[in-house]
Amino acid sequence: MARGHYTHVSMSIDPGRRPRIGVSFYTPVLRAGARVLESGRPFLSLESDEADVTVSTTGAGPVTAEDVGVARQIFNAAARYLADCERMHADQPADSDQITPSGVGETAA
């Protein structure tokens, strides 16, 4: 039985707190890319057909030590996610009902 594919976007507005937006991708139709703009500013993007998330430097300005730290956290988290996915995929039976569409995991340079 295949599970549904979707992108979930939510917004919470509570009195006395800053608004919070959540984006969750539960779809194999996800694109990831990283580029450097002509201005020299690097950015990372995650996109589905329903939502985009972009990460770039603080205030869209020069790269700070904090920006490098955030980029390192993203890299480490993505490496862990990849390792977990590969391990779990390898542990699945060959006749698993899990969806394995072509083109998943393609990245833009």
Side-chain angles (χ1 to χ4, degrees), residues 85-100:
C85 286
E86 288 177 335
R87 177 182 46 79
M88 293 175 80
H89 185 261
D91 290 345
Q92 290 175 178
D95 61 348
S96 171
D97 65 350
Q98 298 299 311
I99 299 166
T100 55

Side-chain angles (χ1 to χ4, degrees), residues 16-86:
R17 302 181 100 185
R18 294 177 67 183
R20 180 163 173 80
I21 297 173
V23 179
S24 301
F25 298 105
Y26 301 102
T27 176
V29 185
L30 186 63
R31 296 166 300 280
R35 294 182 178 75
V36 176
L37 299 174
E38 286 183 25
S39 66
R41 190 175 96 220
F43 74 94
L44 170 72
S45 65
L46 296 174
E47 302 175 358
S48 74
D49 291 341
E50 301 84 14
D52 300 341
V53 174
T54 303
V55 178
S56 191
T57 56
T58 305
V63 177
T64 66
E66 291 83 6
D67 295 325
V68 173
V70 168
R72 189 170 286 114
Q73 287 178 43
I74 292 168
F75 175 84
N76 290 333
R80 171 69 188 268
Y81 179 66
L82 172 61
D84 289 343
C85 286
E86 288 177 335

